[in-house]
């Protein structure tokens, strides 16, 4: 397999952008009409994701050390969509057809062989990872809503009881699918550490015009069922460091930090924890009561609410999270965990670096807009 | 991609158009309406996809015609099965693009309505706050007046202290009467409002539940 030849050919094909993925899916569905059901009606995001994943795989095709974990995760992640071993050759056939179509006259027998070999390799890694995962975990979990609370007109907190044991690390997230929006999986963080009763809490902010979050906030009722994928995410608590802890959450970015907070609370000797919880308006601090109640019983925990777009008076600090965190002192000897919108995370991480915190002590979790 | 710089050596792709981010104009400098720029970029992106599609189709067509000429076989005029498949792919792709367009339009529409509703809510809240201030001022004014009107007591024992107390009582009684009346009528109006919202929300949700997208 000639890695450079593959990269050159993909660069040429990728110039056609969205048209490549459009052709690929049309070819795939024409050959296998039943596969269409596994995808949402609107396919724009799907095509972007396909091209991004392909681009990443091709760019790392000669760097297996980094490529293999990514491909394994892809394989595990595809189980919840109902992808099975027999689908892989179909996808491979359509992929090669697509590449040949867009390569035009530069297509050769060698290229056909290279692509087929590369695809077989990648699909084998995906399948192996998926099968290994299948021996331990179900493809997805069904979860029933046992509590649903609207904290604001555009914000809800709800509790789910999965039908089978669901093991995860505090700080991780999971993709959810609601029956009213089939095939549209969205990631949300668990807002609690694992509990004996297996229940999971989620915090959801409604995004104007989003397809899924309005359903989760406005239409979900106790008794409804949703699907959950496997837990993912690397913003987990570094228990061995022994350093004090800085938790910074913007709006519902609080959720994974609350899970980490519960994990810390269960330690015999909890480190000092500063939790910064920010929102644009005072009524966006939807979980402050609970946090302050916890802080009252935990001498090692300090909760600092921050409001950026209105003067909150004595109820909270006035300013954006990076500003307020910067105002509060020296964090060099802390481990920082940051979650929120991508703009908030970038600004906060920049500020922490300026304040002398080193990159390897900062863990982040960017949530995608849904 | 975070800057509008376009690399001269590389071709511009639809994905780059989608991801392009412009710096804000410095304070005091006038800029274009952001929504308009986004909408236009969206159009350009769609057009670019279409042009690229057509280009790929044409290149392919040329390739196959060349092959056919070179082969010069007896059935050079007949439609090859492969051609039929490519045509089907093209038709399906067009249909998918139309569907994507409808979905995008629907999402934009719902976002606009939601943003409008959010603005409406903020206005109602601001209105309620200023009304509350007005109600309080009004109650204070009327109560002060009532206190002024307390007639000097005829009882021989009454001193300044007692008169002050009676004034205070009259003030408070009137204040609470006025305040309660205003508050009640205002709350009732708000409640009617909320009930209407809930009804229309229920209706709209019932609608979406009945009309779940189902593919076969």
């Amino acid at each position: 397999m000639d890695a450079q030849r593959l990269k050159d050919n993909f660069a040429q094909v990728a110039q056609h952008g969205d048209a490549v993925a459009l052709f690929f899916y049309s070819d795939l569905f024409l050959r296998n009409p039943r596969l269409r059901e596994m995808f949402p009606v609107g396919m724009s995001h799907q095509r972007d994701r396909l091209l991004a994943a392909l681009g990443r795989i091709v760019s790392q095709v000669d760097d297996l050390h980094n490529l293999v974990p990514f491909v394994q995760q892809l394989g595990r992640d595809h189980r919840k969509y109902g992808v099975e071993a027999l689908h892989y050759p179909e996808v491979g056939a359509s992929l090669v057809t697509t590449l040949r179509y867009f390569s035009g006259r530069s297509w050769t027998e060698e290229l056909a062989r290279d692509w087929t070999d590369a695809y077989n390799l990648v699909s084998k890694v995906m399948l192996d990872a998926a099968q290994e995962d299948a021996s331990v975990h179900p493809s997805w979990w069904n979860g029933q809503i046992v509590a649903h609370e609207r904290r604001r007109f555009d914000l809800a907190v709800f509790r789910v009881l999965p039908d089978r044991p669901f093991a995860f690390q505090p700080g991780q997230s999971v993709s959810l699918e609601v029956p009213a929006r089939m095939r549209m999986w969205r990631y949300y963080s668990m807002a609690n550490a694992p509990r004996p009763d297996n229940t999971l809490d989620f915090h959801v902010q409604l995004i104007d015009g989003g397809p899924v979050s309005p359903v989760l906030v406005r239409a979900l009722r106790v008794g409804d069922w949703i699907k959950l994928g496997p837990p993912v995410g690397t913003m987990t608590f570094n228990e061995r460091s022994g350093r004090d802890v800085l938790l910074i959450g913007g709006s519902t970015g609080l959720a994974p930090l609350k899970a980490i907070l519960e994990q810390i609370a269960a330690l015999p000797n909890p480190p000092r924890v500063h939790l910064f919880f920010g929102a644009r308006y005072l009524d966006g601090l939807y979980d402050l009561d609970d946090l302050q109640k916890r802080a009252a019983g935990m001498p090692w925990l300090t909760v600092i609410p921050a409001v950026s777009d209105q003067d909150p008076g004595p109820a909270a600090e006035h300013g954006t999270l990076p500003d307020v965190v910067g105002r509060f002192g020296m964090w060099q000897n802390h481990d920082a965990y940051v979650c929120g919108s991508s703009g908030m995370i970038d600004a906060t991480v920049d500020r922490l670096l300026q304040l002398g915190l080193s990159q390897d002590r900062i863990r982040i979790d960017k949530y995608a807009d849904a | 991609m975070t800057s509008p710089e376009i690399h001269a050596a590389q071709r511009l792709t639809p994905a780059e158009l989608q991801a392009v981010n412009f710096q804000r104009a410095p304070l005091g400098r006038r800029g274009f309406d952001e929504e308009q720029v986004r909408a236009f970029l969206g159009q350009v992106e769609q057009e670019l996809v279409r042009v690229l599609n057509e280009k790929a189709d044409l290149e392919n067509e040329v390739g196959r015609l060349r092959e056919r000429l070179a082969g010069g076989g007896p059935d050079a005029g007949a439609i090859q099965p492969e051609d039929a498949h490519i045509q089907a792919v093209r038709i399906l792709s067009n249909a998918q693009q139309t569907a994507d367009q409808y979905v995008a339009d629907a999402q934009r529409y719902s976002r606009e309505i939601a943003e409008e509703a959010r603005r409406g809510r903020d206005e109602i809240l601001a209105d309620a706050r200023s009304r509350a201030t007005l109600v309080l001022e009004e109650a204070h004014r009327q109560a002060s007046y009532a206190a002024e009107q307390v007639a000097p007591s005829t009882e021989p024992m009454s001193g300044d202290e007692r008169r002050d107390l009676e004034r205070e009582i009259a003030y408070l009684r009137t204040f609470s009467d006025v305040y309660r009346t205003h508050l009640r009528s205002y709350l009732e109006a708000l409640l009617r409002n909320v009930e209407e919202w809930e009804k229309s929300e229920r209706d709209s949700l019932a609608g979406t539940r009945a009309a779940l997208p189902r593919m076969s």
Side-chain angles (χ1 to χ4, degrees):
Chain A
M1 196 196 316
D2 184 338
Q4 195 53 46
R5 192 158 59 199
L6 282 183
K7 288 182 185 181
D8 292 344
N9 178 244
F10 187 75
Q12 184 204 341
V13 169
Q15 281 195 355
H16 296 280
D18 193 49
V20 179
L22 193 60
F23 185 99
F24 165 79
Y25 282 114
S26 296
D27 183 82
L28 182 68
F29 296 151
L30 277 169
R31 292 173 202 258
N32 313 275
R34 279 171 307 115
L35 294 188
R36 182 63 183 87
E37 272 195 51
M38 296 167 70
F39 293 86
V41 178
M43 292 283 291
S44 326
H45 286 290
Q46 191 65 37
R47 291 199 296 272
D48 291 347
R49 288 217 290 258
L50 174 84
L51 282 180
L54 273 179
R56 166 144 186 202
I57 289 172
V58 171
S59 72
Q60 293 187 334
V61 73
D62 44 7
D63 176 15
L64 291 183
H65 174 71
N66 280 312
L67 180 61
V68 166
F70 172 71
V71 173
Q72 285 173 330
Q73 180 61 35
L74 267 185
R76 284 191 292 268
D77 225 40
H78 272 71
R79 292 185 59 220
K80 64 171 183 274
Y81 304 126
V83 173
E84 290 167 28
L86 56 96
H87 296 137
Y88 280 85
E90 311 290 359
V91 169
S94 286
L95 186 64
V96 172
T97 306
T98 306
L99 290 161
R100 187 180 67 208
Y101 181 82
F102 286 96
S103 299
R105 303 229 294 152
S106 59
W107 188 255
T108 61
E109 282 307 308
E110 289 77 36
L111 264 175
R113 228 179 5 254
D114 281 357
W115 276 114
T116 308
D117 291 350
Y119 179 79
N120 288 341
L121 191 77
V122 167
S123 62
K124 185 172 174 349
V125 175
M126 281 179 76
L127 257 175
D128 286 352
Q131 273 159 3
E132 194 184 323
D133 193 53
S135 63
V136 197
H137 302 301
S139 301
W140 69 78
W141 285 256
N142 297 306
Q144 192 169 28
I145 312 301
V146 291
H148 188 279
E149 200 181 309
R150 262 170 89 169
R151 295 281 174 91
R152 221 172 85 126
F153 72 102
D154 60 351
L155 209 150
V157 170
F158 61 89
R159 182 165 294 176
V160 179
L161 177 62
D163 58 350
R164 278 161 291 185
F166 185 87
F168 67 97
Q169 302 271 318
Q172 285 193 306
S173 55
V174 71
S175 53
L176 304 181
E177 186 202 47
V178 279
R181 296 291 181 271
M182 298 284 271
R183 325 288 173 221
M184 303 186 95
W185 295 79
R186 293 291 187 273
Y187 283 92
Y188 290 98
S189 297
M190 276 69 78
N192 60 288
R195 294 180 181 132
D197 72 358
N198 209 26
T199 55
L200 311 167
D201 289 353
F202 295 97
H203 299 178
V204 180
Q205 159 95 55
L206 186 151
I207 290 162
D208 291 345
V212 175
S213 64
V215 178
L216 291 174
V217 173
R218 296 172 67 224
L220 213 55
R221 296 284 177 269
V222 168
D224 286 353
W225 287 87
I226 62 174
K227 273 188 183 180
L228 302 104
V232 295
T234 53
M235 193 189 69
T236 50
F237 180 54
N238 181 355
E239 209 168 326
R240 278 174 307 176
S241 90
R243 284 184 287 269
D244 286 343
V245 174
L246 178 57
L247 305 175
I248 308 172
S251 184
T252 48
L254 172 70
L257 305 179
K258 219 177 156 183
I260 291 176
L261 185 65
E262 287 190 354
Q263 183 183 11
I264 294 175
L267 295 175
N269 277 315
R272 292 255 335 122
V273 177
H274 281 83
L275 168 58
F276 287 85
F277 176 34
R280 293 180 58 196
Y281 301 99
L282 206 48
D283 67 350
L285 298 174
Y286 63 94
D287 210 31
L288 189 57
D289 287 350
D290 181 74
L291 293 176
Q292 282 172 339
K293 219 174 289 164
R294 285 170 194 245
M298 299 170 171
W300 45 267
L301 170 64
T302 310
V303 173
I304 300 143
V307 166
S308 60
D309 288 19
Q310 82 181 99
D311 184 355
E317 294 292 317
H318 190 189
T320 64
L321 277 168
D323 288 345
V324 173
V325 170
R327 229 183 279 156
F328 261 76
M330 315 298 283
W331 306 108
Q332 289 100 319
N333 298 318
H334 284 69
D335 287 331
Y337 301 83
V338 189
C339 184
S341 68
S342 60
M344 169 266 169
I345 288 182
D346 292 344
T348 305
V349 170
D350 278 354
R351 184 62 58 91
L352 290 175
L353 294 174
Q354 280 168 23
L355 292 170
L357 200 67
S358 65
Q359 184 90 56
D360 58 323
R361 292 187 186 174
I362 306 175
R363 295 188 183 182
I364 62 169
D365 184 24
K366 283 192 188 186
Y367 55 67
D369 297 337
Chain B
M1 170 164 218
T2 53
S3 81
E5 296 160 35
I6 302 301
H7 305 287
Q10 259 176 335
R11 304 287 293 270
L12 180 65
T13 67
E16 281 175 319
L17 274 178
Q18 212 174 56
V20 70
N21 260 325
F22 294 99
Q23 298 274 334
R24 292 222 158 268
L27 266 178
R29 294 272 301 274
R30 295 165 62 103
F32 295 114
D33 180 295
E34 194 176 331
E35 282 299 308
Q36 276 188 15
V37 175
R38 290 256 154 251
F40 182 69
L41 275 180
Q43 273 181 15
V44 173
E45 187 206 334
Q46 277 169 34
E47 186 60 28
L48 190 58
V49 168
R50 190 154 64 225
V51 169
L52 287 170
N53 265 328
E54 286 171 4
K55 179 166 170 277
D57 290 346
L58 288 174
E59 276 170 5
N60 225 269
E61 190 82 23
V62 169
R64 273 178 299 121
L65 288 174
R66 278 216 179 91
E67 268 170 38
R68 206 175 293 172
L69 274 182
D75 51 13
I79 293 177
Q80 307 291 312
E82 200 180 341
D83 291 358
H85 179 73
I86 298 288
Q87 275 185 27
V89 166
R90 218 172 284 166
I91 291 167
L92 187 55
S93 296
N94 281 335
Q96 181 63 53
Q97 277 181 309
T98 309
D100 290 341
Q101 192 59 49
Y102 286 164
V103 169
D105 286 349
Q107 281 185 3
R108 196 181 54 240
Y109 181 61
S110 109
R111 190 180 64 239
E112 284 167 4
I113 288 185
E115 282 167 355
E116 214 167 284
R118 202 178 283 268
R119 268 198 302 279
R121 163 189 176 272
D122 291 345
E123 277 164 21
I124 289 172
L125 277 178
D127 183 48
R129 282 201 196 96
S130 66
R131 261 173 206 250
T133 317
L134 278 181
V135 166
L136 277 172
E137 280 169 4
E138 164 86 358
H140 172 72
R141 206 175 48 76
Q142 290 199 24
S144 305
Y145 179 74
E148 294 300 323
Q149 296 305 304
V150 170
S153 172
T154 50
E155 250 181 79
M157 298 289 287
S158 72
D160 286 353
E161 206 180 346
R162 184 178 173 103
R163 201 162 53 247
D164 282 353
L165 274 177
E166 280 173 350
R167 280 193 179 168
E168 184 73 18
I169 290 166
Y171 174 91
L172 287 174
R173 190 170 292 142
T174 318
F175 187 94
S176 102
D177 281 354
V178 176
Y179 190 64
R180 254 184 308 186
T181 319
H182 277 280
L183 209 57
R184 179 166 296 126
S185 68
Y186 188 61
L187 282 178
E188 278 165 359
L190 271 185
L191 211 60
R192 273 197 302 279
N193 225 328
V194 168
E195 275 159 7
E196 270 166 36
W197 281 346
E198 276 175 349
K199 187 181 169 304
S200 66
E201 179 172 314
R202 259 200 312 278
D203 292 351
S204 72
L205 285 172
T208 52
R209 279 203 172 158
L212 281 187
R214 190 77 201 118
M215 287 166 298
S216 53

